[in-house]
Amino acid sequence: MKASAPGCPCGLAPVLFLLLAAPPTAATQKNGINIYSLTVDSKVSSRFAHTVVTSRVVNRANIMQEATFQVELPKRAFITNFSMVIGGVTYPGNIKEKAAAQEQYSAAVARGESAGLVKASGRKTEQFQVSVSVAPAAKVTFELVYEELLKRHLGAYELLLKVQPQQLVKHLQMDIHIFEPQGINFLETESTFMTNELADALTVSQNKTKAHIQFKPTLSQQKSPGQEDTVLDGNFIVRYDVHRTVSGGSIQIESGYFVHYFAPEGLPAIPKNVIFVIDKSGSMRGRKIQQTREALIKILDDLSPNDQFNLVSFSGEAAQWKPLLVPASAENVNQARSYAASIQTQGGTNINDAMLMAVQLLDSANQKELLPEGSVSLIILLTDGDPTMGETNPARIQKNVKEAIDGQYSLFCLGFGFDVSFAFLEKLALDNGGLTRRIYEDSDSTLQLQDFYQEVANPLLTAVTFEYPSNAVEKVSRDNFRLLFKGSEIVVAGKLRDQSPDVLSAKVRGQLHMQSITFQTESSVAEQEKEFQSPKYIFHSFMERLWAYLTIQQLLEQMVSASDAEKQALETRALNLSLQYCFVTPLTSMVVTKPEGKEWSEVAEKPVETKNKHRNFYLGGPLSRFRTAGDRRSRITAGPSGKTPSDLWRAGPQGPLNSPHPYPLMAGKSLLPDMLLAPSIPDEVFRGVDLRAKDAPQARVPAVASDPITGRIWERKASGSSTDLSRTTAAVPAPIQAPAVILMLPGQSVDRLCVDIKHSQGPMNLLSDPDQGVEVTAQYETEKAQFSWIEVTFKNPQLQVRAIPEHVVVTRNRRNSGYKWKETLFSVIPGVKLTMDKAGLLLLSSPDRVTIGLLPWDGPGEGLRLLLRDTDRFSSRVGGTLGQFYQDVLWGPPAAADDSKRMLRVQDLEYSATRLLKLDYQEGSPGTEISCWSVEL
């Protein structure tokens, strides 16, 4: 294939990302810039993704306005093309060597007229942005193209799209076409904005090798309930994997280029020797060290009994937990857990001594022949800052560590936050056969640490080399690798020679735990070329671009640890490929010329990881300098809600000002017993608050409220009169509590059973149904009268959902995904659907299973709550503390002396049940008052 010319269309990514941001609809109409079409088209051909984002806008104002086009794309993606069409004239982006573009950029910055177009915007994404002035009634078409090779992570490829149009769009459509010749093993979707109504706009079709995901919501589906703005604001994710064999190899050929994917199945994990090097300097105090402790404890639990390990903690000085590596026995792991839990922060940061101590531990064990033959030795460093004590020169530390390791062990570095030099850690790791990962300071930092460990927890092969006939291939990318881990994949690409054989063969050699192994793979050139002929799913000659993309990425990585002489040669190769194939890389820039003239240009450059997050931005002048006659500006980006304080007051029911009352004032619902309810309170206390909807039957209002002026507490009588409770001595009764669990009992005359747990020691098996393939366990704290955690485990698909008061963690195939409560979620996994609404109700459902719900209840008796629906689907084998009530339940007659009491018998156990008023938490806070039979366990 000929070299792509500048401006050539190309590219996608695993994080597809999208979309335009614009002010809310009302503001958009006021300012005049309207997005009337927004499309995303992504074609994923054999893991290589090519994405085109197209936005069409019109200025409906009668004056010149400014439109801003924004797209978020994956950090690993390379932009390949951008263009604007204004008045029938196309203004393309041209890719140049960075030095050549810099002169044009600097001149514009000096005038304060332009700025860099690409900046880091999140953990996985970068933001591309360009602004342009639009004449009245004029239309503009923006188009951005980018490409990326999807990377296999813990057994799955991922496409992440951030959907944020921020206004209603008449034509909004997203299409993802996936073609995998190996066959699609599973495919799942997840969204943080999808609702049941929007789900109708999503269609997923799939056969053995192809899949098509389309999202095409109508205007009515995009609208927020009762509002005129859009509900589309969040992530859309597609995850999938392909079928694999024990040989693990798949060679695919298209247009004279080949790609070899290697990820064998069924190999046993190699035992490993791990040294965890943990920074405990003063800057780690607080949340960071707490999350590190939590993650380390979980990681220690995941060690295999065949592994050996030790811990090194450091601040100004380094200290080892044990003098030698120890086996990961239950006793040693428990001791290490206690040690990890006791780590305290203080002092400076002496990375050099800590690293040399870790290497010395491995060296000593090696010399004493204590390392199992064929095992893998890893050092995992976690630090949040630059070295401040001992040896502080980064270059000397890198040199010391490289000489000490001497190619024997692999080093992985985790940089916690943005106060650490990422470049320093990256070179430290790449010099020693590892990699570096940034851990973002957030509520899920513990999960980030655990996920990283899972990536390296199961080494399968060492010393992996790829061999091809020299008369068949040329220009082969990197073909030797130190380690292959479970859930990952090695990719090699190259060019077929003109006179190559009809069949391309390959050998992959590697080292298992105790023996060498060779994998052989063959692929027919003619048959493979035929595979990639479907124009609907394939952008042709993609494999040449895949080869170029992969080669550039590897050259850039090699530059990090290369000598000065080697670095220049590597840079020249990477630059030439970047220019030839029209990629915006760290060595090139895209110059975007605006209609105002060549002197009015902007430059898009690839951000790089730096020490400070603010330095990820390409620094320059203001993002744009366009002005209208009245200096009014409109951006197609997210804007403020525009709500006034009075708007916020009207947004929902409010309580009295300065109310000290422990339970909220609600219109239509009561948190107090019936006998305390009264329909009126002094008007001065509730002025401006609609306490009672006229059309609400049996509406309940608060029994008491405080006067914001006098501080007196008033009680409303049924007659409408009020009593000043502050002048009486009677105590206000405690509010009605929500029970620990409410059970719906199918086929019973008694439809609800409220269960309170009074005696609990350790984790509880709440319910288990082997026929349903589901188990629910939990920890209940009787002192706090709440669940500290609830865990739901499915056998098919293998899925675990763990809820704690702060968040929910979903684990599938060793991948952990964390979700905050009350953040909407819509995830469809083969066999299970997970949804969460803004009230925080998480439902786990499938057509043939019981629906299990989890909820962060914040009303009286706050804490996690469990709810069950479709309970008639339980099998006869259901059991557990709660599951027993879905066996044959026998109710005794009401007690003669008190008809609010009766007995029930379950499997030879008898429980006393009492008719009580409780709060039903199942629809979320503040709950509704119900009468139910209550039992204590």
Side-chain angles (χ1 to χ4, degrees):
M1 184 179 103
K2 293 182 180 179
S4 304
C8 57
C10 291
L12 146 90
V15 181
L16 274 179
F17 146 133
L18 171 172
L19 266 354
L20 279 184
T25 303
T28 301
Q29 292 174 345
K30 177 181 177 181
N31 294 328
I33 295 295
N34 175 248
I35 309 170
Y36 62 89
S37 176
L38 181 58
T39 63
V40 176
D41 183 74
S42 178
K43 289 183 171 61
V44 184
S45 307
S46 187
R47 284 75 136 181
F48 193 63
H50 172 98
T51 298
V52 182
V53 181
T54 306
S55 175
R56 293 178 170 86
V57 306
V58 60
N59 181 9
R60 301 193 186 282
N62 56 9
I63 59 173
M64 178 97 53
Q65 293 286 0
E66 183 180 80
T68 298
F69 172 73
Q70 285 184 348
V71 173
E72 293 200 25
L73 61 150
K75 287 184 176 179
R76 287 179 54 84
F78 290 156
I79 293 172
T80 67
N81 190 38
F82 170 74
S83 65
M84 296 181 291
V85 180
I86 305 173
V89 179
T90 300
Y91 299 89
N94 294 306
I95 294 179
K96 301 181 178 182
E97 183 180 355
K98 182 169 288 187
Q102 184 64 36
E103 182 179 349
Q104 188 171 353
Y105 171 83
S106 298
V109 169
R111 296 190 301 271
E113 294 172 345
S114 75
L117 299 184
V118 184
K119 64 181 181 181
S121 62
R123 297 182 187 179
K124 298 181 179 180
T125 58
E126 297 167 351
Q127 184 186 86
F128 174 89
Q129 174 173 297
V130 65
S131 302
V132 65
S133 296
V134 185
K139 295 181 178 180
V140 180
T141 297
F142 300 98
E143 183 177 278
L144 181 73
V145 185
Y146 58 93
E147 295 175 338
E148 182 177 9
L149 178 63
L150 304 188
K151 188 174 182 179
R152 191 168 186 246
H153 171 70
L154 293 175
Y157 307 101
E158 181 177 287
L159 290 163
L160 167 64
L161 299 83
K162 188 167 290 184
V163 183
Q164 295 176 307
Q166 293 297 311
Q167 64 167 272
L168 301 178
V169 180
K170 184 177 181 180
H171 175 222
L172 193 156
Q173 183 169 335
M174 181 170 63
D175 287 280
I176 303 168
H177 291 94
I178 300 173
F179 175 58
E180 291 291 349
Q182 286 177 255
I184 298 172
N185 182 25
F186 74 83
L187 185 144
E188 57 191 48
T189 62
E190 175 184 315
S191 169
T192 59
F193 62 83
M194 197 75 68
T195 61
N196 288 326
E197 292 75 19
L198 272 175
D200 295 334
L202 177 67
T203 58
V204 180
S205 57
Q206 178 186 344
N207 60 24
K208 181 180 178 181
T209 59
K210 298 176 181 178
H212 178 207
I213 299 99
Q214 184 180 79
F215 180 61
K216 190 178 181 181
T218 63
L219 282 171
S220 61
Q221 288 173 320
Q222 296 175 44
K223 288 183 180 179
S224 299
Q227 304 290 329
E228 289 300 312
D229 55 0
T230 180
V231 298
L232 303 182
D233 184 3
N235 297 333
F236 184 82
I237 300 169
V238 178
R239 295 189 186 94
Y240 75 95
D241 197 15
V242 300
H243 290 292
R244 301 176 192 280
T245 63
V246 175
S247 68
S250 174
I251 297 178
Q252 297 167 25
I253 301 168
E254 190 258 352
S255 298
Y257 281 77
F258 78 92
V259 61
H260 187 173
Y261 294 108
F262 182 71
E265 289 289 288
L267 297 181
I270 300 174
K272 60 185 182 295
N273 315 297
V274 191
I275 308 290
F276 298 99
V277 184
I278 307 300
D279 185 346
K280 62 171 185 177
S281 60
S283 59
M284 286 283 290
R285 72 171 56 91
R287 190 183 192 186
K288 283 194 283 191
I289 196 64
Q290 177 186 347
Q291 291 174 322
T292 299
R293 290 192 205 106
E294 291 172 359
L296 188 54
I297 289 170
K298 182 65 172 65
I299 288 169
L300 290 168
D301 287 340
D302 289 339
L303 288 170
S304 166
N306 295 324
D307 295 338
Q308 295 190 115
F309 74 104
N310 203 342
L311 304 171
V312 172
S313 60
F314 72 95
S315 52
E317 297 180 350
Q320 57 196 33
W321 170 55
K322 296 284 187 181
L324 298 170
L325 276 78
V326 297
S329 64
E331 180 181 357
N332 287 333
V333 167
N334 284 333
Q335 290 181 16
R337 285 164 53 93
S338 299
Y339 176 81
S342 67
I343 294 176
Q344 301 296 322
T345 58
Q346 62 176 0
T349 306
N350 191 335
I351 294 176
N352 187 75
D353 287 1
M355 288 303 306
L356 296 183
M357 178 177 286
V359 176
Q360 193 276 330
L361 281 168
L362 288 171
D363 283 345
S364 176
N366 201 8
Q367 291 164 7
K368 296 175 182 178
E369 298 183 349
L370 298 177
L371 300 183
E373 184 180 354
S375 61
V376 172
S377 297
L378 312 175
I379 299 173
I380 299 177
L381 166 67
L382 170 67
T383 181
D384 77 329
D386 292 340
T388 61
M389 297 189 70
E391 177 58 73
T392 59
N393 183 291
R396 282 198 288 269
I397 295 174
Q398 290 163 345
K399 180 175 180 291
N400 293 344
V401 173
K402 184 176 181 179
E403 289 177 351
I405 289 179
D406 194 26
Q408 299 178 87
Y409 322 122
S410 295
L411 169 62
F412 298 89
C413 298
L414 302 176
F416 207 141
F418 285 90
D419 292 329
V420 64
S421 170
F422 189 88
F424 163 65
L425 293 182
E426 183 179 38
K427 180 171 172 55
L428 198 62
L430 290 175
D431 280 350
N432 298 285
L435 55 85
T436 299
R437 183 72 48 81
R438 190 185 297 282
I439 302 300
Y440 293 84
E441 294 184 56
D442 208 337
S443 60
D444 69 340
S445 297
T446 299
L447 292 180
Q448 294 176 57
L449 291 167
Q450 290 174 214
D451 263 4
F452 173 81
Y453 174 74
Q454 286 299 329
E455 289 184 57
V456 300
N458 296 288
L460 302 179
L461 287 172
T462 63
V464 184
T465 59
F466 291 71
E467 299 175 6
Y468 306 95
S470 58
N471 66 334
V473 301
E474 61 182 344
K475 298 182 179 179
V476 178
S477 62
R478 179 182 171 187
D479 59 7
N480 62 90
F481 303 84
R482 182 178 292 196
L483 287 166
L484 170 68
F485 293 101
K486 183 178 180 179
S488 66
E489 181 176 64
I490 295 177
V491 185
V492 178
K495 185 179 185 301
L496 298 181
R497 292 188 182 275
D498 293 339
Q499 303 299 322
S500 63
D502 295 336
V503 175
L504 177 61
S505 61
K507 290 182 180 180
V508 182
R509 303 183 191 275
Q511 186 71 36
L512 294 170
H513 177 203
M514 298 295 289
Q515 68 184 66
S516 299
I517 188 170
T518 300
F519 301 87
Q520 296 192 2
T521 306
E522 290 186 344
S523 186
S524 167
V525 175
E527 289 180 6
Q528 284 293 313
E529 291 278 11
K530 188 177 179 180
E531 285 270 16
F532 296 99
Q533 296 304 314
S534 173
K536 182 178 180 181
Y537 285 80
I538 304 303
F539 58 102
H540 293 292
S541 299
F542 79 91
M543 204 162 285
E544 180 177 0
R545 299 191 62 79
L546 185 160
W547 165 80
Y549 171 94
L550 182 63
T551 303
I552 293 169
Q553 290 280 27
Q554 292 176 351
L555 290 170
L556 293 173
E557 185 177 285
Q558 291 171 35
M559 285 170 56
V560 174
S561 55
S563 65
D564 291 341
E566 295 171 330
K567 186 177 297 184
Q568 184 58 53
L570 295 169
E571 180 176 326
T572 300
R573 284 187 61 199
L575 173 60
N576 290 338
L577 285 173
S578 300
L579 294 172
Q580 181 181 353
Y581 290 94
C582 198
F583 286 133
V584 177
T585 71
L587 304 177
T588 57
S589 300
M590 175 182 283
V591 178
V592 179
T593 301
K594 294 186 177 181
E596 289 79 357
K598 291 184 178 180
E599 73 284 355
W600 203 297
S601 300
E602 293 185 338
V603 175
E605 296 189 343
K606 184 77 174 171
V608 294
E609 284 279 3
T610 56
K611 176 176 179 178
N612 188 298
K613 62 182 177 181
H614 302 295
R615 296 177 193 168
N616 282 340
F617 294 28
Y618 192 89
L619 300 179
L623 212 44
S624 56
R625 294 288 179 179
F626 294 122
R627 293 290 186 272
T628 63
D631 200 29
R632 297 171 59 194
R633 303 172 62 187
S634 172
R635 297 166 57 102
I636 311 178
T637 55
S641 67
K643 290 184 178 179
T644 64
S646 59
D647 292 327
L648 298 175
W649 174 258
R650 291 192 294 270
Q654 304 291 323
L657 297 174
N658 305 319
S659 171
H661 207 265
Y663 27 88
L665 300 172
M666 292 298 301
K669 296 180 181 178
S670 168
L671 303 185
L672 297 176
D674 286 348
M675 66 284 293
L676 291 182
L677 295 176
S680 73
I681 292 177
D683 290 341
E684 294 80 2
V685 179
F686 289 100
R687 188 178 305 280
V689 181
D690 183 7
L691 295 175
R692 210 175 158 127
K694 294 180 180 179
D695 58 351
Q698 299 179 345
R700 302 182 186 275
V701 295
V704 294
S706 66
D707 188 319
I709 306 300
T710 66
R712 291 177 178 176
I713 299 176
W714 296 85
E715 175 190 22
R716 230 174 217 187
K717 302 296 186 181
S719 63
S721 64
S722 304
T723 300
D724 184 353
L725 295 183
S726 60
R727 297 183 179 183
T728 70
T729 57
V732 177
I736 296 175
Q737 300 288 309
V741 181
I742 297 175
L743 299 179
M744 312 302 288
L745 302 181
Q748 301 284 345
S749 59
V750 181
D751 61 344
R752 282 180 293 206
L753 184 68
C754 294
V755 179
D756 282 305
I757 300 172
K758 298 299 184 180
H759 307 285
S760 172
Q761 291 184 348
M764 305 170 63
N765 179 11
L766 296 183
L767 65 87
S768 176
D769 190 334
D771 292 358
Q772 289 267 304
V774 64
E775 183 179 56
V776 181
T777 55
Q779 177 86 48
Y780 192 82
E781 298 182 36
T782 53
E783 292 184 0
K784 296 182 179 179
Q786 62 181 251
F787 289 106
S788 55
W789 57 263
I790 302 175
E791 192 168 274
V792 183
T793 303
F794 294 95
K795 291 184 179 179
N796 187 24
Q798 291 188 349
L799 180 74
Q800 185 182 83
V801 180
R802 183 180 179 88
I804 61 175
E806 294 77 23
H807 57 249
V808 178
V809 178
V810 178
T811 303
R812 175 161 161 76
N813 296 333
R814 300 181 297 122
R815 291 194 314 275
N816 294 309
S817 300
Y819 306 96
K820 295 178 181 178
W821 290 110
K822 302 184 180 181
E823 288 187 351
T824 53
L825 171 67
F826 194 98
S827 177
V828 180
I829 297 170
V832 178
K833 181 170 75 173
L834 292 79
T835 63
M836 181 159 58
D837 59 23
K838 292 185 177 180
L841 176 58
L842 175 67
L843 293 177
L844 316 175
S845 61
S846 66
D848 303 318
R849 280 198 178 105
V850 174
T851 296
I852 299 173
L854 301 170
L855 182 72
W857 170 251
D858 52 12
E862 65 181 358
L864 294 175
R865 289 296 188 273
L866 172 74
L867 59 91
L868 302 172
R869 297 176 181 173
D870 308 312
T871 53
D872 57 326
R873 296 174 181 170
F874 275 126
S875 76
S876 60
R877 297 203 291 162
V878 65
T881 303
L882 303 179
Q884 64 177 325
F885 293 104
Y886 292 95
Q887 296 285 358
D888 294 330
V889 177
L890 299 176
W891 287 90
D898 186 352
D899 62 4
S900 67
K901 296 182 181 296
R902 62 194 302 185
M903 300 297 293
L904 76 158
R905 179 184 292 273
V906 182
Q907 296 179 329
D908 300 327
L909 295 176
E910 283 194 344
Y911 297 95
S912 175
T914 306
R915 197 76 178 175
L916 295 175
L917 291 176
K918 294 285 186 178
L919 276 184
D920 187 349
Y921 56 78
Q922 296 181 92
E923 299 301 325
S925 182
T928 53
E929 184 182 299
I930 61 171
S931 175
C932 66
W933 289 100
S934 179
V935 300
E936 293 184 356
L937 302 180

